[in-house]
Amino acid sequence: MSQEIRAAEQGTGRLKLLDCHTHSPETGCQAIRSLTYTEWRLLQKSTVSQSCLQDCPDFAERMKRKALRVRSEGSIPPYVTEAESRKQHSDSPLCNSLEWSGGVAIEEGQLYSIGFHPWSLPPEGSLTALIDQMQSRLASTPQIVAIGECGIDKVRSNATRSEQLVWLEAQMRLACQLDRPILLHTVRAWAEMIEMRSQMAQEFAQLPPMVLHGFRARGAVAQMMLSKGFALSFGRRYDAEALHLAYEAKALLVETDEIPDELTHRKAIEATYTHLAEELATTPEALVSQVAATPFWQQIEG
C-alpha cells in the first residue's frame, strides 16, 4: 500500500478507490459488480428488511433454504410482494430491500452492471424477450447502474461475428435509450466498435459513457479509440503508452476484473491504484480525483 493511501486511511477517511468493473462479491458503493446473465436472470425482488431478518430468524432461515433449493433445482423463485411479506411478518417493519436469486442477492449500498457477455450469448431468437427483461431489471433496480459487460470477441465466443453484432447493437441501443453507461468487452474488433458507436451517434443526440474495459491494446489503438469518444479502463495488465494517453485525455478508469486468489477486493484495488499512479508519476490521490471526474463516474454518482 502506498504512503498516500495509508495516510488517507489514518486521517479523516479512506480514499474512495472507484472500481468500474469487478466480479468480486465483497465490494461496496465504490465498485460496480458485473453480473452475468446466468446470475441476473434469476433476480426476484423481495421486500424482506434487515430488521426482519434479525427479528425473525426462522423466516430468514426459510428464505436461505429457498435460495439453496432454487440453486439446486435451477428454478426461478416466486415473486414476493410487499403485501405477502407484510402478511408473513406483520410485526417487522419493511425498510430495506434484498433480492434473492439462487445465492445472488442485490444488496443495498452495492452497485451492479448487467449484460450479455460475448463468450456465452443466448440464441438470437430470444433477443427481443431478453432485452425486454434487461430493461425491466434496470428500471426496477436502482442499484443496477450500468450495462455490460457486452461486446465482440473474435477469439472466443459461442456465437458468430454477425450474431455478436446483433446482441451488441441491442444492448448499446438500450444504453443510449436509458442513458446508462456501458462497459464493453472488445477483442480484435476495434473497427466494429467504432462503427457501432457511430451508428448510435446518428440515432441519438447524446451518447452515454462508453468504456472499453480491461484495455491492453497498444498506444496506437488507444489513441484511435480515445479520438472516437471511448474511455479506457485499466487493471493489472496494460500497455504503458496506452495508459499515459488515457490519463492525458482524462478518460482513464480503473478496474479489478482479475483479482489474485490471495488478495481481497480492497487490497487488489489499492494495489492497482498504487501501481498505475507510480507508472503515471503521480499520486494515488491525483489519480483518484481524475477517475472520479470522468463522465462515467460523474453520471453514476451525480
Side-chain angles (χ1 to χ4, degrees):
M1 186 191 312
S2 74
Q3 292 181 351
E4 290 88 350
I5 291 177
R6 185 180 296 109
E9 290 188 341
Q10 294 173 349
T12 57
R14 287 186 169 187
L15 282 176
K16 193 170 184 180
L17 305 178
L18 298 172
D19 182 348
C20 73
H21 179 79
T22 187
H23 295 285
S24 173
E26 54 177 26
T27 60
C29 62
Q30 84 282 0
I32 298 176
R33 181 183 173 190
S34 177
L35 298 180
T36 65
Y37 174 61
T38 302
E39 294 171 316
W40 68 258
R41 71 185 179 89
L42 294 178
L43 293 179
Q44 296 290 316
K45 181 170 287 186
S46 169
T47 54
V48 181
S49 70
Q50 293 286 5
S51 60
C52 176
L53 295 177
Q54 294 170 359
D55 299 340
C56 309
D58 59 325
F59 178 69
E61 187 60 33
R62 290 202 303 275
M63 288 296 291
K64 290 178 182 178
R65 287 200 299 269
K66 177 185 283 188
L68 290 173
R69 185 174 68 253
V70 167
R71 181 189 299 175
S72 63
E73 295 175 353
S75 60
I76 298 177
Y79 191 92
V80 182
T81 66
E82 182 170 343
E84 291 167 340
S85 186
R86 285 187 181 277
K87 183 178 180 181
Q88 296 178 59
H89 294 279
S90 57
D91 295 332
S92 295
L94 300 169
C95 53
N96 300 316
S97 67
L98 296 177
E99 302 200 7
W100 295 83
S101 60
V104 175
I106 292 290
E107 301 174 0
E108 187 172 350
Q110 173 66 65
L111 304 179
Y112 299 86
S113 68
I114 60 174
F116 296 97
H117 196 290
W119 288 359
S120 54
L121 290 172
E124 189 176 328
S126 62
L127 183 144
T128 300
L130 292 180
I131 292 297
D132 287 345
Q133 185 180 357
M134 174 185 280
Q135 184 170 0
S136 175
R137 292 289 184 266
L138 288 161
S140 63
T141 314
Q143 296 99 318
I144 302 176
V145 296
I147 291 175
E149 63 188 286
C150 57
I152 306 176
D153 193 322
K154 290 185 178 179
V155 175
R156 176 183 175 184
S157 178
N158 67 329
T160 65
R161 173 182 172 278
S162 61
E163 290 170 337
Q164 292 184 63
L165 283 169
V166 169
W167 280 96
L168 172 61
E169 179 179 352
Q171 293 175 88
M172 192 174 283
R173 178 168 285 107
L174 182 61
C176 293
Q177 290 170 343
L178 301 180
D179 192 28
R180 297 294 183 94
I182 185 167
L183 295 153
L184 299 163
H185 174 104
T186 310
V187 178
R188 300 182 184 177
W190 311 114
E192 289 88 344
M193 200 61 70
I194 290 171
E195 176 60 29
M196 191 67 69
R197 180 185 171 91
S198 176
Q199 181 179 331
M200 294 300 117
Q202 294 175 17
E203 298 180 29
F204 298 92
Q206 183 173 342
L207 300 182
M210 297 186 179
V211 180
L212 300 171
H213 105 85
F215 196 84
R216 301 177 191 171
R218 295 182 182 276
V221 176
Q223 184 64 65
M224 175 177 65
M225 303 309 287
L226 289 166
S227 70
K228 299 300 181 180
F230 292 93
L232 312 182
S233 177
F234 297 86
R236 297 170 59 240
R237 293 184 285 174
Y238 58 87
D239 177 85
E241 182 184 3
L243 179 71
H244 282 268
L245 287 168
Y247 185 68
E248 293 166 5
K250 301 188 186 314
L252 185 156
L253 289 95
V254 180
E255 65 177 69
T256 56
D257 185 42
E258 298 177 345
I259 298 179
D261 292 339
E262 69 275 11
L263 294 183
T264 63
H265 174 265
R266 180 67 191 186
K267 294 295 184 183
I269 193 65
E270 285 174 354
T272 303
Y273 267 92
T274 298
H275 180 68
L276 295 179
E278 290 175 352
E279 172 61 39
L280 293 166
T282 188
T283 64
E285 289 97 335
L287 180 56
V288 166
S289 296
Q290 189 181 111
V291 169
T294 59
F296 180 91
W297 282 108
Q298 286 289 298
Q299 180 167 332
I300 287 175
E301 299 202 313

